[in-house]
Amino acid sequence: MKHALVLVCVLSTSAWADVNERSRVEVQPPGKGYKQISIENALGNVRIEGHDGPGIIIETHKHAPDDDALDRLRVSLVPDPDGTVRITTHADPSVESKPVPRSSVSIDVVIRAPRNARFDATVGSGKLEVKNMDAGGELDSASGAITVDNVQGELYTHSVSGHMSIAKAFGPVDAATISSDVELDSITGQKLVSSSNEGKIAGRRVRAREVELTTMSGGITLEAEPVARGHIVVQSLRGEVDVKIRRVTQAALIVRARGTKVDFGSQPVTVLGKWHEATFGSGGESALVELRSTKSLVRFAIIQ
């Protein structure tokens, strides 16, 4: 395996005696190029940016209260012949020095990788950002925020309590969190699935054939454009549901809704038990919208 390493380190000390180290590593691809970038960083932030070059540039910024603690911070990089690069961070234990609180040390990592490489990244409380990548990937965080901008391919994002923001995603998206909000903007693809137990979901400029948004206690707002033979499902147990659909003349739109109160504005509806139903337009291939809130309001409107 052939690869080139370029390492630049800069040490600095702040007025409060904290110590910082910045490093830069450039790795050239083996064989046909890099296929996957995998990183696990429990000590800080991760940012992955796509670029047009064949190599990978890795920049790290370490921070610690003193030189001894800084020396124990490690970044491991393992390029495999199969085109995978694995990057991990950790802090070596020391029996000779006094223990250092985890909150006083950090390693932030910035990766510039070929756009056509798949990514797989995990953080703890640090921020996780991905931009301009074309082969999809998977992102996981505990409490760190996840931000995605301009990504193609299958995208999976999961967090416990980290805020999630996904913009300009072209491909299937699965975004799940337990107790934080999810923001979705300009999502285009075959399928969009998003869920949050306690947070809110807000989507705009969504155009996917299958859309499924689910919450337990948070509200859901959605502005979408239906696709012929498409299916949009928006449901919450206790949160309000507010959906706006852009008018499409090529096909009929069938809307079914149920909640403690259902608001279709001035549109005439048919009431069938607990369900309210309305049809907009006419055409051969219809799209179906289903809206549900067990304990709150459901609102629907057509917009231009």
Side-chain angles (χ1 to χ4, degrees):
M1 178 182 63
K2 296 181 179 180
H3 58 270
L5 299 178
V6 178
L7 177 61
V8 178
C9 298
V10 178
L11 294 175
S12 64
T13 304
S14 73
W16 293 276
D18 289 345
V19 181
N20 295 272
E21 178 185 287
R22 296 181 182 272
S23 301
R24 184 179 185 273
V25 177
E26 184 172 350
V27 186
Q28 294 303 319
K32 297 181 179 180
Y34 291 114
K35 298 178 180 178
Q36 180 163 331
I37 313 300
S38 178
I39 178 168
E40 183 174 347
N41 181 19
L43 298 177
N45 304 324
V46 171
R47 186 167 81 244
I48 302 173
E49 299 179 356
H51 70 169
D52 296 324
I56 294 176
I57 300 170
I58 303 169
E59 299 175 357
T60 61
H61 180 196
K62 300 179 183 179
H63 171 268
D66 52 49
D67 289 332
D68 179 70
L70 188 71
D71 289 342
R72 286 187 273 137
L73 298 180
R74 299 280 184 264
V75 179
S76 301
L77 184 152
V78 180
D80 290 342
D82 65 358
T84 299
V85 172
R86 293 178 175 85
I87 303 163
T88 58
T89 67
H90 66 278
D92 290 340
S94 175
V95 296
E96 300 177 355
S97 304
K98 63 180 180 179
V100 177
R102 174 66 67 88
S103 59
S104 67
V105 299
S106 65
I107 304 176
D108 294 333
V109 182
V110 176
I111 301 170
R112 293 177 175 84
R115 298 176 190 274
N116 61 352
R118 179 177 171 81
F119 54 82
D120 183 353
T122 302
V123 298
S125 60
K127 297 178 182 178
L128 182 49
E129 302 174 72
V130 176
K131 185 175 183 179
N132 300 333
M133 297 294 287
D134 294 342
E138 186 166 354
L139 305 173
D140 288 277
S141 81
S143 59
I146 295 177
T147 303
V148 179
D149 183 21
N150 191 28
V151 169
Q152 298 187 44
E154 288 186 313
L155 176 65
Y156 299 89
T157 61
H158 307 97
S159 77
V160 177
S161 59
H163 182 273
M164 198 174 293
S165 175
I166 302 173
K168 297 191 290 295
F170 306 94
V173 174
D174 188 322
T177 180
I178 294 176
S179 60
S180 66
D181 297 342
V182 180
E183 295 182 27
L184 305 164
D185 189 353
S186 303
I187 311 298
T188 303
Q190 177 66 25
K191 191 170 186 178
L192 165 63
V193 177
S194 182
S195 64
S196 178
N197 282 5
E198 300 176 15
K200 298 178 292 184
I201 298 177
R204 60 176 183 167
R205 291 189 284 263
V206 171
R207 193 177 191 277
R209 185 172 299 279
E210 298 178 51
V211 177
E212 183 177 337
L213 309 181
T214 306
T215 66
M216 293 293 288
S217 59
I220 304 175
T221 60
L222 173 67
E223 178 256 295
E225 180 180 330
V227 178
R229 293 183 296 174
H231 191 191
I232 296 175
V233 178
V234 181
Q235 55 190 354
S236 177
L237 177 62
R238 292 183 289 270
E240 290 189 2
V241 170
D242 189 346
V243 173
K244 297 179 176 65
I245 297 294
R246 294 199 171 275
R247 184 182 296 276
V248 177
T249 59
Q250 293 87 349
L253 180 66
I254 301 170
V255 182
R256 297 172 183 157
R258 60 183 293 178
T260 56
K261 181 180 179 181
V262 176
D263 181 3
F264 274 63
S266 60
Q267 174 67 26
V269 299
T270 300
V271 180
L272 303 171
K274 295 182 178 181
W275 288 95
H276 294 62
E277 182 173 311
T279 300
F280 302 83
S282 61
E285 297 182 330
S286 61
L288 176 63
V289 177
E290 294 183 84
L291 313 175
R292 293 191 289 268
S293 179
T294 304
K295 299 182 179 181
S296 195
L297 167 71
V298 172
R299 185 183 294 108
F300 176 83
I302 293 286
I303 60 176
Q304 297 296 331

